[in-house]
Amino acid sequence: MQVRGPIRRWKGYGKPQRAELYFRWSLYLMAWMMLPINLLVSASPGNLPHYGTAVQVALVVSLASTLVTLRAYRTALDHYLKRPSEYRRWLAVNAALTVVGSWTVLLLGPSTGGPMNPHAPPFTAVVATALMGAAIGPTSVALSLPRAFLTGLGQILLIAPAMVLARFDPGITIGLLVGAAIGLSLLIGSCRSFAWVTAIVWELDAAREAQSRLAVAEERLRFSRDLHDVMGRNLTTIALKSELAVQLARRGRAEAADQMAEVQRIAQDSQREVRDVIRGYRTADLHAEAIGARAVLRSADVACEIDLGKDADQLPPPVQSVLGWVIREATTNVLRHSEAAHCLIRLHREDGRAVLELENDGVPEVPLPSQGGGTGLRGLRERLAAHDGELTVPTAAPGTFRMLAAVPI
């Protein structure tokens, strides 16, 4: 089993996966930021000698809260993205740890900022505020905004009595509570925005996939509509004339043979019309496919460079048709199997052959379904083989897919 490094895994992700990973780790960093802040505040030279027990408890509670908050963020974001998760359990554990830990730290610590600055908030108040932020972040992701604000307000009201029992200065207590309310409001908005953007990215990816399926369904409807228009009237006429011929034959009338001859003629015309419909559906025009490929790729924000040369019109019609099919299939591969930003289609002559070169970037590290044994390229190889041509997929630069189709002129 091959072990893939983080860089190879990152290159193997699509745009929605990369976006989710970025925003998910942005939330995780909010949880990790609490630990160094509490470490610097608690273990300062002015606090460590005098309040060693409170400092140790604050660091242990901060570490435990960080680990629980990371799990709470993960389950909360999974719930927001409508995935199975145990977010309620981890939100409850995180909230309980915040309240109990804040009470413990506040009651064990000092009531002032210390001898050097007695009017400053004590370090335990900073630790308690950080703990509240760690608890409200996952809540703002998993719950609705009104419930998240109410939860944050409830935590402030639960921790406020501990500040009173710790004999904080009333002005400091009020300032801390007001600042905590403002900070929690900003934190709720930030965390909710990360989750919202992540969900939007996945919805856009699902919409793109649905658009591809609708395009296929629309093409099937168009083909069935063409067949209905061609065959509906003719089959109805054949049925009526066959019934008339049966009646005439039963009466011994000679006109029955004329009616059956008419039925035969209509059936032959129907065969010809069906072949024309199928031929129009299965035949690809080189210039039309090139124009269509440029339009489709540009609509998907892919810069498309096409150079068919000056002698494309002089190629035999069968060669133009099979090369048009190559362009059509290559465009499908670019849209379905890559995150391309640039695509190149170039036609030139080489050693008595027409060589169509197609190249695009944005190929993930994972093997593409179209590389090697995909059904689309297998069908192109069969089409080219019917004209003594060949299709090759040479080795290209990392993240790049290159394909060459050669047909004798």
Side-chain angles (χ1 to χ4, degrees):
M1 179 178 180
Q2 184 180 3
V3 179
R4 302 176 63 194
I7 297 180
R8 290 182 61 87
R9 287 199 301 269
W10 172 264
K11 291 182 178 179
Y13 291 152
K15 288 183 179 179
Q17 293 172 312
R18 292 182 180 183
E20 179 183 343
L21 192 62
Y22 171 77
F23 290 118
R24 185 180 291 273
W25 275 98
S26 299
L27 295 175
Y28 292 167
L29 287 177
M30 291 186 180
W32 279 112
M33 286 174 57
M34 176 185 64
L35 191 59
I37 291 175
N38 290 347
L39 176 62
L40 294 175
V41 172
S42 303
S44 63
N47 295 327
L48 193 58
H50 304 287
Y51 312 105
T53 302
V55 171
Q56 294 175 3
V57 172
L59 295 180
V60 171
V61 172
S62 299
L63 178 59
S65 179
T66 299
L67 298 178
V68 173
T69 303
L70 289 174
R71 185 66 177 182
Y73 268 125
R74 179 179 178 180
T75 56
L77 186 57
D78 288 340
H79 171 71
Y80 188 84
L81 297 177
K82 296 179 175 59
R83 301 170 183 170
S85 65
E86 299 178 350
Y87 73 100
R88 289 189 178 91
R89 176 187 302 176
W90 288 102
L91 291 183
V93 172
N94 200 18
L97 181 60
T98 297
V99 175
V100 174
S102 298
W103 271 73
T104 304
V105 171
L106 290 173
L107 295 180
L108 290 177
S111 60
T112 62
M116 299 298 296
N117 193 0
H119 298 290
F123 75 92
T124 53
V126 178
V127 174
T129 304
L131 292 176
M132 284 190 287
I136 199 60
T139 303
S140 62
V141 174
L143 304 182
S144 61
L145 288 179
R147 292 184 178 180
F149 280 109
L150 291 178
T151 302
L153 180 61
Q155 289 183 355
I156 293 175
L157 295 178
L158 289 175
I159 295 175
M163 295 183 180
V164 176
L165 295 177
R167 298 181 180 180
F168 283 10
D169 182 83
I172 292 178
T173 302
I174 296 175
L176 288 173
L177 296 178
V178 173
I182 296 175
L184 292 181
S185 300
L186 297 176
L187 182 63
I188 290 174
S190 300
C191 295
R192 190 73 173 191
S193 299
F194 286 150
W196 179 75
V197 173
T198 305
I200 289 297
V201 170
W202 280 111
E203 289 179 4
L204 291 176
D205 184 69
R208 179 182 178 183
E209 183 68 22
Q211 186 177 9
S212 300
R213 292 195 299 267
L214 288 176
V216 174
E218 183 179 357
E219 182 64 18
R220 290 174 178 173
L221 289 175
R222 186 194 69 81
F223 184 65
S224 63
R225 183 173 59 249
D226 291 345
L227 283 179
H228 177 270
D229 294 341
V230 169
M231 296 298 297
R233 176 178 58 83
N234 291 348
L235 289 177
T236 302
T237 304
I238 289 175
L240 292 176
K241 286 187 172 293
S242 299
E243 183 179 359
L244 178 59
V246 170
Q247 297 295 333
L248 293 174
R250 288 176 178 175
R251 299 175 185 176
R253 302 280 296 274
E255 291 87 346
D258 297 335
Q259 294 296 327
M260 292 306 300
E262 183 69 14
V263 168
Q264 181 182 12
R265 184 190 64 79
I266 296 175
Q268 292 174 347
D269 292 342
S270 299
Q271 287 179 334
R272 184 180 64 256
E273 290 176 355
V274 170
R275 283 195 297 267
D276 292 338
V277 171
I278 296 176
R279 186 180 300 112
Y281 181 76
R282 296 175 60 89
T283 301
D285 180 73
L286 179 60
H287 291 279
E289 292 298 331
I291 295 174
R294 178 185 286 112
V296 171
L297 292 175
R298 285 183 177 178
S299 65
D301 294 331
V302 180
C304 184
E305 179 182 352
I306 299 179
D307 182 14
L308 298 181
K310 299 180 180 180
D311 301 331
D313 294 333
Q314 300 177 5
L315 295 175
V319 175
Q320 294 190 38
S321 177
V322 72
L323 292 181
W325 270 105
V326 174
I327 294 178
R328 180 184 297 185
E329 179 62 27
T331 304
T332 303
N333 285 343
V334 171
L335 295 176
R336 295 186 58 186
H337 305 305
S338 72
E339 300 289 347
H342 182 267
C343 180
L344 170 66
I345 301 176
R346 182 187 296 117
L347 177 63
H348 62 278
R349 296 194 180 193
E350 180 180 332
D351 298 333
R353 301 185 304 171
V355 180
L356 184 65
E357 177 184 357
L358 302 105
E359 182 176 322
N360 65 273
D361 58 3
V363 178
E365 289 294 327
V366 295
L368 292 178
S370 58
Q371 286 181 334
T375 56
L377 294 191
R378 188 183 303 117
L380 287 182
R381 287 190 174 96
E382 295 174 355
R383 291 179 181 274
L384 290 169
H387 299 273
D388 296 328
E390 62 178 355
L391 183 71
T392 58
V393 183
T395 303
T400 303
F401 178 74
R402 190 164 179 260
M403 182 174 65
L404 297 177
V407 184
I409 301 176

